Each structure stands twice: as C-alpha cells, then as structure tokens.
Amino acid sequence: MTRNQRRDLRNGLLFISPWIVGFCVFMVYPVASSLYFSFCDYSVLERPVWIGAENFTELAHDSVFWTSLGNTLYYAVIALPLGMMLAIGVALLLNTKVRGMAVYRTIFFLPSIVPVVAMAILWLWILNGRYGVLNYSLTLLGLPAKSLPAWLESKHWAMPALILMGLWGIGHAMVIYLAGLQDIPVHLYESAEIDGASWWQKTVHITLPMLSPTIYFNLIMGIIGTFQIFAAPYIMTNGGPERATHFYTFYLYNLAFEDLRMGYACAMAWILFLIILGLTLLATKVSAKHVHYER
C-alpha cells in the first residue's frame, strides 16, 4: 500500500468513524450482551450470575412459552400469505390506466401510515361485539345479530379479528409491488398480446415471474414483521381472552420489563432470532428456483 493509499484509508475511516462508534455501541454491544445474559440469571437490578443453559431448559418446559409461540405461528401462517395476496391484487388493480389513479393509490396507502395506537383504537370500535361497525354491516346483509361473534371477547374469534385488522396495513407492501410492476418491460406484454395471450396467461407467465424478486423481498420482510407483532394486539386484547392472542413478544416483554427476568427474556429473544433466521433460510432455499432476476 502506497503512502497516498494509506492516507486515503485513514481519511475514509475518520469520515465513517461516527457510524462505526454508533454501530458498535447501539448494535454490537447490545446483541453480544443479550447473548451473554441469555446464559445468566439476570434481573437488571443485580449482577448477572452465569447459569449455563438453564434458561433454555426451563423454556422447553414452559407452557406459556409454547402457547405464545403457537399463537404467533397461527397468526403468521394465515396473516402473511393473506396479506401478500391482497397486496398483489390491489397493486395489480392500481397498475391499470384509469383516470384519477393517483387518488386511488393515495386512498389505499393512507391506512398504512395511521399511527398504531390510533389504528388499534379505531379497530376496537369496529370490532365491538355490540356497537361495532363490522357486526352492524353484517346485520344489514341479513345475518341475525345473535349469531354474530363478539370478536375480541371470544377466544375463538379474537385471532381471526386481529388477522383481519392486519390486512389494514398492506399499503407499504402494495407500493413496493406497484413499483415492481412498473419495472416490468412493456414489450413482454406486447409480444404476448400478439400471440393472443389472455389477461390470466399474461399474469401467470409474465407478471408473477417478473415480480418474483419483489414477492421474495416482501415475504422475508413479512416473516420478520409477523413474528414481531406487538403494539396493536397489546392495546386491543393484551393477550386475552384466555391467552388466545398471547403472542411471543408479549411474553418476552412481560418477562423482561414486568417480572425483570432479563436473562430468561434474552433466551427467548435468541430463540425468536433463530426461528426467523431458519424460516428466512428455508424461504430462500424453497424460492431459489422460482425467483427470476432479469439479466
């Protein structure tokens, strides 16, 4: 390395040094600490005591842990594909050449930028079993009021109600799909039309394959997001009724900040990280042959 190269390297490192310091202080140190605390009995107020893998062993026999993990998987398995299909469908509709399309796109995107607390309170009103808008709308369709569920008060209907509410926030994914759709070369559609391809054939053989990198990206982001769902359900149900909506992050939060079992909570956090990492690798492996990048 020449003298000028060493000088350029030094100057470059000096320029990015604030970022390096921030990354180490706010990312590397907390992650490394949480890994260490996951093997400790640690309550924040006292010094951590090394106990080996005892936290992980206790988690294996913790019924609440398995309940919260099962609820989270239930939510992710239904909400994620449902949200993706709806976002793609809306993006396809908003990609058509209709007058006033900018207004329609704004209308569909607006719900996704509503603050979480405001959204949760709004949906508490919509899903109210007695005075809610949803049940009132169903009665207008002819359904008897007595047969309608109490949604958030029922252990059987609380989770479907939260999944329904989750569809409210597809705006961000929809915008990404819309950007992906507009990046598809027009000449592919023109060639297909010359060959007499129908709308469905163009969608299956051109749109979805060309959109596959965007679908893959939203799938990974969706896996991460659904497994970390917290704020809205915490406000609306607080895990009830009868732990029917007691998500993984609820239990982790309660252990860490209410019971002050920080070591146990750190063990849960690392298990969650490994689950998300495993699902991400699985999705990457399975979708490898179905994601097409234009070369």
Side-chain angles (χ1 to χ4, degrees):
M1 184 179 290
T2 64
R3 183 176 180 182
N4 288 337
Q5 287 175 329
R6 285 198 299 270
R7 184 192 62 191
D8 292 341
L9 176 62
R10 182 198 63 199
N11 292 338
L13 290 174
L14 285 174
F15 272 115
I16 65 170
S17 58
W19 180 87
I20 293 174
V21 171
F23 179 74
C24 293
V25 172
F26 298 110
M27 184 63 73
V28 176
Y29 174 72
V31 170
S33 297
S34 71
L35 180 60
Y36 172 71
F37 292 146
S38 68
F39 294 97
C40 297
D41 181 10
Y42 180 47
S43 65
V44 180
L45 303 176
E46 298 178 359
R47 295 178 65 83
V49 178
W50 181 267
I51 57 173
E54 191 174 317
N55 285 329
F56 295 94
T57 306
E58 188 178 342
L59 278 172
H61 301 90
D62 188 340
S63 60
V64 181
F65 166 78
W66 290 109
T67 300
S68 62
L69 182 59
N71 288 338
T72 306
L73 285 171
Y74 172 22
Y75 179 84
V77 166
I78 297 178
L80 179 57
L82 203 59
M84 289 182 67
M85 287 189 290
L86 185 62
I88 293 174
V90 174
L92 287 172
L93 289 175
L94 295 178
N95 195 44
T96 54
K97 295 178 181 178
V98 177
R99 189 175 181 182
M101 184 54 74
V103 177
Y104 297 129
R105 289 173 180 173
T106 304
I107 291 172
F108 278 96
F109 182 69
L110 273 179
S112 62
I113 58 174
V114 173
V116 176
V117 175
M119 181 192 70
I121 293 172
L122 174 65
W123 276 91
L124 276 174
W125 175 60
I126 293 174
L127 297 170
N128 187 290
R130 292 183 180 179
Y131 314 107
V133 174
L134 181 58
N135 277 2
Y136 177 72
S137 302
L138 292 175
T139 56
L140 293 179
L141 295 175
L143 295 176
K146 291 184 179 178
S147 66
L148 298 176
W151 299 110
L152 299 177
E153 299 171 13
S154 165
K155 67 177 182 180
H156 302 295
W157 286 100
M159 187 64 82
L162 292 180
I163 292 171
L164 177 65
M165 182 203 67
L167 300 178
W168 172 274
I170 62 167
H172 291 292
M174 179 203 72
V175 168
I176 296 172
Y177 285 127
L178 197 56
L181 286 171
Q182 294 182 358
D183 197 38
I184 298 175
V186 179
H187 65 81
L188 295 177
Y189 291 111
E190 292 173 345
S191 301
E193 287 172 3
I194 292 173
D195 292 337
S198 64
W199 176 85
W200 176 252
Q201 288 172 323
K202 286 189 285 184
T203 302
V204 172
H205 297 293
I206 297 176
T207 304
L208 292 180
M210 294 301 292
L211 198 62
S212 56
T214 311
I215 296 173
Y216 169 70
F217 171 78
N218 277 325
L219 172 64
I220 300 302
M221 297 307 292
I223 290 172
I224 297 170
T226 51
F227 273 84
Q228 296 186 65
I229 182 171
F230 179 77
Y234 187 78
I235 295 168
M236 296 173 69
T237 63
N238 197 20
E242 300 181 30
R243 296 189 191 278
T245 59
H246 195 78
F247 289 103
Y248 195 95
T249 49
F250 287 9
Y251 192 40
L252 194 155
Y253 173 83
N254 290 336
L255 287 168
F257 300 105
E258 294 184 3
D259 301 340
L260 294 182
R261 298 187 64 188
M262 193 61 74
Y264 198 68
C266 286
M268 279 192 69
W270 274 95
I271 290 175
L272 180 62
F273 168 74
L274 292 176
I275 290 172
I276 293 174
L277 178 63
L279 290 174
T280 301
L281 293 175
L282 179 63
T284 303
K285 182 73 175 178
V286 171
S287 63
K289 295 182 180 178
H290 304 285
V291 178
H292 307 280
Y293 295 97
E294 189 180 16
R295 293 182 174 88

